[in-house]
C-alpha cells in the first residue's frame, strides 16, 4: 500500500471492531464519563492525574480533550493519530510521584506512580475498553463472542499505540475479563474524598450549574445511562441512590436508544447519520459552558480545590 494511502487509512481499518463500536455516538458520548467514574477508584491513576493535570479547574475540558485524543487514534488517519500520540507522550513525560496520603490498604502513602508504568498504562486501557464494551452492549446491541474478542484485541493495539507494552495486558478477552472483574471485586479499589466528589459530578450525581432545557435534559439522560451501567459495588462506593424508579427509567431509556439503532429493512434509519460519527464535536457544548463559568469566576465543580496536594499543604 502506498505511504499516502496508509497514512489516510489510520491504524485501524474501517471494518475493525474498534471503529465499528466507537463510531456509534451513543457509545462515544457515554463511555468516557463511565471510564473516568470507575477509573477514579484506582488511586494511583486518579491521584497521578489529579496532581499533574493542567485542567484541575476545567475537568470537563479535560474529558473532551481526552475523548478527542482517544478518537484520533481509534477513528482518525495515521497523521491525526500520530499527532495525538506525540501530544500525549509530551504531557505524560513529567507525570510521576508518590501518593501523598494513604489510599486504602493496598496503596499506602509513599506508593510510587508514573505515567510510564506498564501496569498503569494497562489499567487506563482496561477502564476505557470495559466502558466502550458495556455501553455498546447496553445502547446498540450485544456483541458476539468473536466481536468481543476482536474489540479487545483492537484496544490492546490501541494501548500499544499509546506506549503500553503488549505484555502488560492479558492475552485473551476471557483472561482480561477474569482479571478486571476480579480487580473490581477485590479490596484494592478505593475512592479518595476528592475522587468521590469529582466522580459524583462527572456522573451527574451532583449538578452545580444546570444548563437550559433541553440541553440539561439530554445531559441528565446521559448521566442516567452512566449511573445505571455502573457495577453495584461502584455505586455503593459513591453512595449513589439507586432504587426501582431509577432502574426503570434507566432501562426504558437504554431500550429506546437500542431500538433507534435498528434499521428497518429497505427503508433505512433516518437517524443513522446523526447517530454515527466522532463524538468530540458534541463535547464542545459542555466545554464551552465550563469556560464561561471559569471566566466568570465560578468553579466548574464546587468543593474541588483547584490546588494540588503539595500546594494545599505548603500554604
Amino acid at each position: 500500500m502506498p505511504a499516502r494511502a496508509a497514512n489516510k487509512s489510520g491504524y485501524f481499518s474501517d471494518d475493525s471492531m474498534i471503529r465499528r463500536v466507537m463510531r456509534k455516538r451513543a457509545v462515544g458520548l457515554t463511555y468516557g464519563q463511565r471510564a473516568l467514574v470507575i477509573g477514579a477508584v484506582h488511586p494511583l491513576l486518579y491521584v497521578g492525574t489529579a496532581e499533574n493535570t493542567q485542567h484541575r479547574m476545567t475537568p470537563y475540558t479535560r474529558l473532551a480533550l481526552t475523548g478527542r485524543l482517544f478518537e484520533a487514534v481509534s477513528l482518525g488517519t495515521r497523521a491525526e493519530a500520530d499527532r495525538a500520540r506525540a501530544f500525549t507522550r509530551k504531557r505524560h513525560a513529567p507525570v510521576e510521584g508518590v501518593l501523598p496520603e494513604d489510599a486504602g490498604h493496598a496503596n499506602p502513602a509513599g506508593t510510587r506512580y508514573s505515567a510510564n508504568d506498564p501496569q498503569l498504562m494497562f489499567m487506563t486501557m482496561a477502564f476505557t475498553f470495559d466502558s466502550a464494551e458495556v455501553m455498546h452492549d447496553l445502547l446498540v446491541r450485544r456483541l458476539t463472542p468473536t466481536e468481543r474478542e476482536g474489540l479487545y484485541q483492537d484496544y490492546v493495539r490501541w494501548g500499544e499505540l499509546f506506549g503500553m507494552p503488549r505484555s502488560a495486558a492479558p492475552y485473551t478477552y476471557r483472561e482480561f475479563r477474569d482479571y478486571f472483574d476480579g480487580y473490581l471485586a477485590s479490596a484494592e479499589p478505593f475512592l479518595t474524598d476528592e475522587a468521590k466528589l469529582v466522580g459524583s459530578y462527572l456522573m451527574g450525581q451532583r449538578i452545580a450549574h444546570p444548563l437550559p432545557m433541553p440541553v440539561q435534559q439530554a445531559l441528565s439522560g446521559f448521566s442516567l445511562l452512566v449511573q445505571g451501567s455502573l457495577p453495584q459495588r461502584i455505586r455503593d462506593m459513591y453512595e449513589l441512590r439507586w432504587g426501582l424508579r431509577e432502574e426503570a427509567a434507566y432501562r426504558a431509556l437504554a431500550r429506546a436508544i437500542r431500538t433507534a439503532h435498528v434499521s428497518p429493512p429497505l427503508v433505512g434509519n433516518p437517524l443513522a447519520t446523526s447517530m454515527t460519527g466522532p463524538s468530540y464535536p458534541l463535547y464542545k457544548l459542555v466545554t464551552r459552558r465550563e469556560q464561561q463559568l471559569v471566566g466568570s469566576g465560578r468553579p466548574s465543580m464546587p468543593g474541588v480545590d483547584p490546588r494540588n496536594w503539595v500546594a494545599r499543604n505548603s500554604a
Side-chain angles (χ1 to χ4, degrees):
M1 179 183 294
R4 181 174 298 177
N7 185 63
K8 287 184 177 181
S9 67
Y11 284 99
F12 299 97
S13 65
D14 282 343
D15 63 352
S16 64
M17 283 307 304
I18 195 169
R19 287 204 176 201
R20 289 164 59 186
V21 167
M22 297 313 301
R23 278 196 297 250
K24 300 296 185 182
R25 285 200 171 119
V27 177
L29 291 173
T30 54
Y31 88 105
Q33 285 173 271
R34 185 184 187 276
L36 288 177
V37 169
I38 298 186
V41 307
H42 195 295
L44 294 179
L45 283 182
Y46 179 82
V47 174
T49 300
E51 290 296 292
N52 294 276
T53 185
Q54 297 181 18
H55 291 287
R56 201 174 184 95
M57 285 289 290
T58 52
Y60 294 105
T61 300
R62 174 181 164 261
L63 172 62
L65 174 61
T66 302
R68 183 177 187 179
L69 294 172
F70 285 5
E71 283 193 342
V73 174
S74 59
L75 300 179
T77 65
R78 290 204 177 196
E80 292 169 336
D82 288 342
R83 285 195 294 272
R85 293 167 64 210
F87 178 87
T88 303
R89 281 196 301 271
K90 182 177 179 181
R91 285 291 182 89
H92 282 181
V95 177
E96 60 179 7
V98 299
L99 289 182
E101 299 176 300
D102 289 342
H105 76 89
N107 299 283
T111 303
R112 298 200 62 82
Y113 62 79
S114 168
N116 294 316
D117 182 332
Q119 176 64 15
L120 295 185
M121 289 182 178
F122 162 66
M123 290 305 295
T124 298
M125 186 227 62
F127 288 118
T128 306
F129 162 71
D130 173 70
S131 287
E133 177 195 19
V134 167
M135 298 317 289
H136 187 279
D137 278 355
L138 176 67
L139 301 176
V140 182
R141 64 171 177 81
R142 288 192 60 80
L143 297 168
T144 67
T146 300
E147 290 173 332
R148 212 172 292 282
E149 184 68 45
L151 181 63
Y152 173 68
Q153 296 300 336
D154 281 351
Y155 260 100
V156 170
R157 174 59 177 150
W158 177 89
E160 289 182 280
L161 290 169
F162 278 111
M164 180 193 78
R166 177 62 184 87
S167 59
Y171 185 69
T172 66
Y173 169 77
R174 186 67 267 163
E175 292 170 328
F176 163 81
R177 183 51 61 193
D178 289 343
Y179 175 86
F180 187 74
D181 291 350
Y183 168 79
L184 291 183
S186 74
E188 188 172 346
F190 182 87
L191 271 178
T192 65
D193 290 341
E194 181 180 292
K196 184 175 181 179
L197 181 59
V198 171
S200 70
Y201 280 117
L202 287 173
M203 76 168 93
Q205 184 182 7
R206 294 170 184 258
I207 301 174
H209 309 286
L211 287 162
M213 294 295 184
V215 177
Q216 185 59 51
Q217 218 168 12
L219 292 178
S220 295
F222 291 141
S223 295
L224 180 67
L225 294 170
V226 169
Q227 293 172 18
S229 71
L230 298 175
Q232 184 60 50
R233 186 181 182 204
I234 303 298
R235 287 197 212 128
D236 291 342
M237 291 176 73
Y238 278 100
E239 298 180 282
L240 176 65
R241 177 184 173 185
W242 193 262
L244 293 176
R245 184 175 63 179
E246 289 81 10
E247 181 71 16
Y250 155 71
R251 289 186 178 277
L253 180 57
R255 185 164 54 248
I257 295 174
R258 276 201 310 274
T259 300
H261 280 91
V262 178
S263 298
L266 304 179
V267 177
N269 189 334
L271 298 176
T273 301
S274 62
M275 294 170 65
T276 305
S279 299
Y280 170 73
L282 300 179
Y283 278 116
K284 290 182 179 178
L285 294 173
V286 179
T287 58
R288 189 178 301 123
R289 170 66 168 171
E290 183 171 67
Q291 297 298 328
Q292 291 171 347
L293 288 170
V294 173
S296 65
R298 290 178 290 173
S300 178
M301 292 184 174
V304 178
D305 197 314
R307 302 168 298 172
N308 63 20
W309 190 91
V310 173
R312 292 196 302 269
N313 288 273
S314 62

